[in-house]
Every structure is written in structure tokens, then in C-alpha cells.
Amino acid sequence: KGGLLCDLTPLCVNQSRVCDGHADCPTLVGYQLFKAKDESGCDDCENHWTYMNETIEYILEMDPLQDPDFKYFHYKCSSGECASSLDNCDGGADCGNYEDEQDCGEFL
């Protein structure tokens, strides 16, 4: 009661920990990255971007096959959603209006 149910597990996060800049909901399953539900939709993009920076560092540290020249960036969509380079061309409408899926070319 008074918490947020995570998407990937039955974990319930206390409301005081929602939008605090620290992801409490699981986000990494294998190599598939999901937005942390407890840090998504917050008014302040800074929390989301801080979390995503930490996630990128973790992925690069754990996977020696990742491109060390990977350029991570973040931005605010015209819809007001927070997005990052990981959201671009991933097949999901992270901006809500598919602007993050424009000019992607064809997927093989």
C-alpha cells in the first residue's frame, strides 16, 4: 500500500523511493535494458539521466565486447519525456510520439 509495483518482478517500491534518482526496480535482464519504472515519468529528467549514466557505466564494465567508443547522450523529447541514445531506434516509442524512432533505417 502506498508504493509502486515494478514491471519485471513482483517487487513493490516504497513511494518515498520513487523519483529519487536511484533505480529500485530491476532494469537489466540479460543484456536487455528496461527503463526503471520507479525513475520513469518523473518531472525531473536529471534523475533519469543520472540513472542511465550509471547503467551505461555498468554495462561497459561488465561486457568487454561493448564498443568502448559508444557515445551516450540524453535529451528531452518534444513531448516532455526524458530519453537517451539507448532509446533511439530501439523499436519503442520512448518519446510517446515516435520521434526517437525517426531516421533509423531498416532493421535486418
Side-chain angles (χ1 to χ4, degrees):
K1 187 173 180 172
L4 175 78
L5 185 63
C6 297
D7 289 332
L8 302 176
T9 67
L11 180 68
C12 188
V13 175
N14 188 299
Q15 193 63 38
S16 67
R17 298 183 70 145
V18 174
C19 294
D20 66 352
H22 176 73
D24 295 295
C25 287
T27 57
L28 195 60
V29 177
Y31 286 105
Q32 180 64 43
L33 180 68
F34 297 89
K35 286 186 176 179
K37 186 174 181 180
D38 61 305
E39 296 302 318
S40 294
C42 302
D43 291 335
D44 182 8
C45 285
E46 290 301 319
N47 284 345
H48 173 72
W49 293 330
T50 298
Y51 157 71
M52 292 302 287
N53 283 334
E54 291 170 359
T55 302
I56 293 297
E57 288 174 17
Y58 174 78
I59 290 172
L60 292 174
E61 183 179 300
M62 297 305 290
D63 185 0
L65 299 178
Q66 287 290 328
D67 182 359
D69 296 324
F70 173 77
K71 299 297 182 224
Y72 173 75
F73 59 89
H74 49 259
Y75 58 95
K76 194 164 192 170
C77 307
S78 63
S79 62
E81 295 288 327
C82 308
S84 73
S85 53
L86 293 177
D87 300 318
N88 290 348
C89 301
D90 67 352
D94 299 286
C95 287
N97 59 8
Y98 287 95
E99 73 183 79
D100 57 306
E101 301 302 311
Q102 302 297 313
D103 302 317
C104 294
E106 291 189 38
F107 293 103
L108 297 176

